[in-house]
Amino acid sequence: MAISKKELEFNINDDQMRLKISAVERELSIIAEGGGKKRVEKLHESGKLTARERIDLLLDPNSERFEMGAFAGYGMYKEHGGCPSAGVVIVIGFVSGKQCIVVANDATVKAGAWFPISGKKNLRAQEIAMENRLPIIYLVDSAGVYLPMQDEIFADKEHFGRIFRNNAIMSSMGIVQIAAVMGSCVAGGAYLPIMSDESLIVDKTGTIFLAGSYLVKAAIGENIDNETLGGATTHTEISGVCDYKSANDQECLATIRKMIGQIGQPENAGFDRIESVDPKVPLKNVYGIMPSERNKPYDTKELLRTIVDDSELTEYKADYGKSIICTYARIDGWSVGIVANQREIIKNAKGETQFGGVIYSDSADKAARFIMNCNQKNIPLVFFQDVTGFMVGSKSEHGGIIKDGAKMVNAMANSVVPKFTVVVGNSYGAGNYAMCGKAYDPRLIVAWPTAEIAVMSGASASKVLMQIEVASLKAKGEEITPEREKELSETIKNRYDEQVSPLYAASRLWVDAIIDPADTRKVLSLGIQMANHKKAEKPYNVGVIQT
């Protein structure tokens, strides 16, 4: 029996998606090794567990979890030996049945020292805790600021000191913070456990001090060892800095589990949830739906039916503004409003062709109205991005595309219900902003391995950059042969392609994670469950919108 063209394309797409997922998983397995096997062995010899081992013991067995920022620092700081996962492991998971966020320093990576990206990642964890009123658990094992890069981590608003400011703010908000000192905790970092609600310290391996024994000797001439200066006995029996002394990592983590288990249930935001129903369309069908060639059109509704409960969509203004799909649905039982770019080439009511992934005036108007409705009805919003930007040209400009785009951005930016973003394909230019990019406070933002995030596509950007480069070289009197032009073009395109890859975005925390598309339901459900811990703090108000 002959295979149809559609089936052939589906199989090619499926193969390509699986290859991309495998490539991501290979890199993640390397990242999970932290500083390498030798450093892990050294840690074990000192009686300590690794960051990931500690998290595994802390979280409820076989419970759902989401690791945030695993790719942070990927490909960065090569001159300093690299910084896998930014030297800190952050996981949203369940402890004694309660959803928490866990921040664990990885002492196998430069002794857990803080690089600039480490600060950014830790601040993101605290942001998630504050936005969603999640208890936060710090497993501290860090040598403090990475001194060769202190100028990029110490003094600015979003640097190291912001963490302690957030400790204080979270305390005033009533967000539970528990810190366990399971290794080094030095200098300014010593304030973190003490600014938490309660602190634990592990005997013989945990130490806290503003200055270690060598610096004390140099500064004031005092001879003292680190354990006497700031070990567990000192801080639980003499200084009173810590609240609990544990014999080892295992006892410390078991104590934290008991403490979290005693926390009272918070008031929730009241998001609607019913019994979950699996999609009628198998989840992994999404592999074959997503084209292997990113400029090929596809029906986004097919993609959404692999993710939503019972594959059921209740579409808002289905025949108007067709380049954006706005639909009510359920994900793992949770009621959601979905805003997704339609990638099919379609015709509007006037018979005009509209290109897939482009936002037109009518689509922006529809999306703005839908976002307002979801806020009115207390329904979380989920954005699926595969967008090349807003429509350009005289017809669009005369029709007020800027005004309609601004209306959509305004409605989205002022949203008080939680927003979640999944970058499935292109995320270019102002389209990234309108569809709730990182700058617009999504509670979680994740990417598929097919994602690209940039001002414009690689093909468009390389042409523009090529024109600039050629003009510059000609101005200097250089003759540009066809061979030289081809060489320049390839160099520019290769550099730009690296910058638009999802790995590049994840390394800089433009997205929280790169996920297997088949895990999209699970990640979004965890995110909405997390967001349900906190009610909106103000009524929905969009301010001034031009109509």
Side-chain angles (χ1 to χ4, degrees):
M1 184 177 170
I3 190 168
S4 69
K5 184 181 177 183
K6 186 173 182 180
E7 288 173 317
L8 180 62
E9 283 187 355
F10 185 96
N11 290 340
I12 290 170
N13 295 342
D14 186 279
D15 287 345
Q16 290 300 310
M17 180 66 86
R18 289 177 190 274
L19 286 171
K20 285 182 169 69
I21 292 167
S22 294
V24 168
E25 288 175 346
R26 277 197 305 274
E27 296 301 325
L28 282 173
S29 66
I30 295 168
I31 288 168
E33 293 177 358
K37 291 180 180 177
K38 287 186 178 179
R39 290 181 182 172
V40 171
E41 288 169 4
K42 189 176 179 182
L43 203 69
H44 286 163
E45 286 168 7
S46 68
K48 294 161 67 176
L49 300 173
T50 66
R52 293 179 188 279
E53 288 168 342
R54 288 166 174 167
I55 290 173
D56 286 342
L57 271 180
L58 180 63
L59 296 183
D60 296 345
N62 304 315
S63 61
E64 296 289 2
R65 62 170 68 183
F66 172 73
E67 182 172 348
M68 192 281 292
F71 277 105
Y74 178 83
M76 299 168 68
Y77 314 120
K78 291 177 182 177
E79 67 277 21
H80 297 279
C83 185
S85 210
V88 60
V89 183
I90 296 175
V91 173
I92 298 166
F94 293 87
V95 179
S96 298
K98 295 184 173 66
Q99 199 172 23
C100 302
I101 185 162
V102 184
V103 180
N105 300 115
D106 186 349
T108 69
V109 179
K110 292 286 191 296
W114 289 56
F115 284 70
I117 195 67
S118 313
K120 186 174 183 179
K121 185 172 174 179
N122 277 266
L123 289 172
R124 175 63 176 147
Q126 290 184 318
E127 179 182 46
I128 290 170
M130 286 189 280
E131 286 179 334
N132 302 286
R133 207 176 182 84
L134 277 190
I136 185 166
I137 301 165
Y138 307 99
L139 306 181
V140 185
D141 195 346
S142 172
V145 167
Y146 183 62
L147 286 176
M149 302 188 74
Q150 64 85 27
D151 62 318
E152 297 180 48
I153 183 63
F154 170 64
D156 211 342
K157 181 178 178 180
E158 300 299 330
H159 283 177
F160 190 71
R162 186 78 172 180
I163 289 160
F164 314 129
R165 173 264 187 195
N166 287 350
N167 286 142
I169 297 298
M170 283 191 281
S171 183
S172 71
M173 293 170 67
I175 295 170
V176 173
Q177 300 176 82
I178 294 173
V181 180
M182 309 179 83
S184 296
C185 185
V186 301
Y191 288 102
L192 183 144
I194 314 312
M195 295 191 73
S196 300
D197 300 335
E198 293 182 280
S199 62
L200 305 88
I201 186 167
V202 178
D203 196 22
K204 301 297 186 289
T205 56
T207 53
I208 310 174
F209 33 63
L210 296 180
S213 56
Y214 291 118
L215 188 53
V216 167
K217 172 68 174 174
I220 64 173
E222 182 182 3
N223 285 307
I224 191 168
D225 63 87
N226 284 338
E227 183 65 25
T228 307
L229 181 67
T233 299
T234 296
H235 284 311
T236 57
E237 297 182 20
I238 300 172
S239 71
V241 163
C242 290
D243 306 307
Y244 307 90
K245 179 166 74 170
S246 302
N248 50 45
D249 282 9
Q250 291 85 346
E251 182 184 299
C252 180
L253 297 166
T255 304
I256 296 172
R257 286 184 53 79
K258 290 177 188 174
M259 293 164 72
I260 294 293
Q262 293 164 346
I263 297 172
Q265 290 294 341
E267 186 180 20
N268 66 42
F271 303 135
D272 187 62
R273 191 181 198 185
I274 60 174
E275 187 176 346
S276 177
V277 179
D278 287 340
K280 287 177 181 173
V281 182
L283 272 169
K284 291 195 175 180
N285 267 30
V286 74
Y287 296 175
I289 294 169
M290 197 71 190
S292 56
E293 297 174 41
R294 65 185 322 101
N295 292 324
K296 274 193 172 181
Y298 62 92
D299 186 357
T300 303
K301 292 177 198 175
E302 280 188 56
L303 181 149
L304 294 178
R305 289 189 183 105
T306 69
I307 294 167
V308 303
D309 287 17
D310 208 28
S311 300
E312 186 178 359
L313 304 171
T314 305
E315 198 172 347
Y316 173 79
K317 291 184 182 288
D319 299 317
Y320 176 74
K322 292 183 178 181
S323 76
I324 287 183
I325 297 163
C326 296
T327 183
Y328 298 105
R330 289 189 182 270
I331 294 177
D332 195 24
W334 293 104
S335 171
V336 296
I338 294 172
V339 181
N341 304 111
Q342 174 59 286
R343 282 304 309 269
E344 275 196 320
I345 296 172
I346 52 181
K347 290 189 181 292
N348 63 18
K350 299 174 184 176
E352 301 165 327
T353 300
Q354 293 191 338
F355 298 100
V358 179
I359 302 175
Y360 292 80
S361 282
D362 52 359
S363 306
D365 174 69
K366 176 175 82 171
R369 291 170 182 269
F370 180 72
I371 290 166
M372 293 180 207
N373 283 339
C374 287
N375 275 273
Q376 182 84 344
K377 297 191 280 189
N378 198 31
I379 297 174
L381 286 158
V382 181
F383 293 80
F384 284 87
Q385 289 193 8
D386 194 347
V387 58
T388 53
F390 286 84
M391 191 58 190
V392 296
S394 60
K395 188 173 183 180
S396 291
E397 298 293 1
H398 296 172
I401 185 70
I402 295 174
K403 176 183 67 179
D404 291 317
K407 184 193 305 182
M408 179 180 173
V409 171
N410 195 329
M412 180 274 301
N414 281 299
S415 179
V416 296
V417 295
K419 299 168 290 192
F420 302 87
T421 303
V422 184
V423 186
V424 304
N426 304 322
S427 179
Y428 299 151
N432 168 281
Y433 299 160
M435 293 294 293
C436 195
K438 182 67 182 291
Y440 292 84
D441 302 317
R443 299 293 177 96
L444 290 177
I445 176 169
V446 296
W448 288 1
T450 44
E452 282 192 0
I453 301 174
V455 172
M456 62 182 75
S457 71
S460 299
S462 59
K463 287 176 185 175
V464 174
L465 292 168
M466 181 67 187
Q467 290 170 356
I468 295 168
E469 183 73 12
V470 168
S472 175
L473 292 172
K474 282 182 177 178
K476 294 174 183 175
E478 186 173 330
E479 183 181 346
I480 306 298
T481 64
E483 292 77 14
R484 174 69 170 137
E485 190 167 327
K486 184 180 178 183
E487 180 189 336
L488 283 169
S489 179
E490 287 180 357
T491 301
I492 290 168
K493 188 174 187 309
N494 289 340
R495 184 174 69 236
Y496 198 85
D497 283 347
E498 180 190 350
Q499 292 178 358
V500 301
S501 80
L503 290 172
Y504 192 92
S507 71
R508 287 150 181 81
L509 290 173
W510 300 348
V511 296
D512 293 317
I514 303 172
I515 66 168
D516 181 336
D519 289 335
T520 305
R521 269 173 66 82
K522 178 177 74 176
V523 171
L524 290 173
S525 177
L526 269 173
I528 298 167
Q529 185 174 357
M530 171 181 82
N532 197 39
H533 286 90
K534 186 181 178 185
K535 283 187 173 183
E537 294 178 339
K538 60 179 182 177
Y540 185 54
N541 186 346
V542 295
V544 177
I545 287 186
Q546 293 189 30
T547 57

